[in-house]
Amino acid sequence: MVGKESKAEFGSISDFFRNATEAQKREVFLAVLQQANNAQRKVMEQSTQSKQKAQ
Protein backbone atom coordinates (compact mmCIF):
# COMPACT_ATOMS: atom_id res chain seq x y z
CA MET A 1 0.00 0.00 0.00
CA VAL A 2 0.92 3.63 0.15
CA GLY A 3 3.91 4.27 2.40
CA LYS A 4 3.49 6.31 5.56
CA GLU A 5 5.96 8.94 4.42
CA SER A 6 3.88 9.73 1.34
CA LYS A 7 0.45 9.70 2.98
CA ALA A 8 -1.08 13.11 2.80
CA GLU A 9 -4.53 14.39 3.57
CA PHE A 10 -6.60 15.24 0.52
CA GLY A 11 -10.20 16.38 0.75
CA SER A 12 -11.33 14.68 -2.44
CA ILE A 13 -10.06 12.70 -5.38
CA SER A 14 -9.85 15.84 -7.51
CA ASP A 15 -7.90 17.53 -4.70
CA PHE A 16 -5.50 14.59 -4.75
CA PHE A 17 -4.94 14.85 -8.51
CA ARG A 18 -4.43 18.60 -8.30
CA ASN A 19 -2.03 18.57 -5.35
CA ALA A 20 -0.28 15.20 -5.13
CA THR A 21 3.25 14.85 -6.37
CA GLU A 22 3.93 12.64 -9.38
CA ALA A 23 5.57 10.13 -7.02
CA GLN A 24 2.41 10.01 -4.86
CA LYS A 25 0.22 9.54 -7.92
CA ARG A 26 2.47 6.76 -9.20
CA GLU A 27 2.49 5.04 -5.80
CA VAL A 28 -1.31 5.13 -5.54
CA PHE A 29 -1.71 3.92 -9.12
CA LEU A 30 0.64 0.99 -8.52
CA ALA A 31 -1.12 0.09 -5.26
CA VAL A 32 -4.53 0.10 -6.98
CA LEU A 33 -3.13 -1.92 -9.88
CA GLN A 34 -1.73 -4.50 -7.45
CA GLN A 35 -5.11 -4.78 -5.70
CA ALA A 36 -6.83 -5.29 -9.04
CA ASN A 37 -4.32 -7.96 -10.04
CA ASN A 38 -4.78 -9.75 -6.71
CA ALA A 39 -8.57 -9.66 -7.06
CA GLN A 40 -8.37 -11.00 -10.63
CA ARG A 41 -6.02 -13.78 -9.54
CA LYS A 42 -8.38 -14.75 -6.72
CA VAL A 43 -11.37 -14.93 -9.09
CA MET A 44 -9.39 -17.03 -11.56
CA GLU A 45 -8.29 -19.43 -8.81
CA GLN A 46 -11.86 -19.77 -7.54
CA SER A 47 -13.08 -20.43 -11.07
CA THR A 48 -10.45 -23.11 -11.57
CA GLN A 49 -11.37 -24.76 -8.27
CA SER A 50 -15.06 -24.70 -9.14
CA LYS A 51 -14.40 -26.34 -12.52
CA GLN A 52 -12.27 -29.05 -10.90
CA LYS A 53 -15.01 -29.83 -8.35
CA ALA A 54 -17.63 -30.03 -11.09
CA GLN A 55 -15.74 -32.73 -12.97
Side-chain angles (χ1 to χ4, degrees), residues 2 10 31-32 37-38 52:
V2 179
F10 298 101
V32 170
N37 287 339
N38 290 344
Q52 289 174 349

Side-chain angles (χ1 to χ4, degrees), residues 21-40:
T21 65
E22 289 302 314
Q24 287 172 316
K25 292 175 187 177
R26 184 172 30 259
E27 186 175 1
V28 169
F29 172 77
L30 292 175
V32 170
L33 186 62
Q34 185 63 50
Q35 289 177 349
N37 287 339
N38 290 344
Q40 183 180 30

Side-chain angles (χ1 to χ4, degrees), residues 10 12-21 25:
F10 298 101
S12 65
I13 193 84
S14 59
D15 188 34
F16 170 78
F17 283 107
R18 264 195 307 274
N19 299 310
T21 65
K25 292 175 187 177

Side-chain angles (χ1 to χ4, degrees), residues 1-8 24 27:
M1 275 287 154
V2 179
K4 290 180 184 175
E5 66 280 352
S6 66
K7 280 191 178 175
Q24 287 172 316
E27 186 175 1

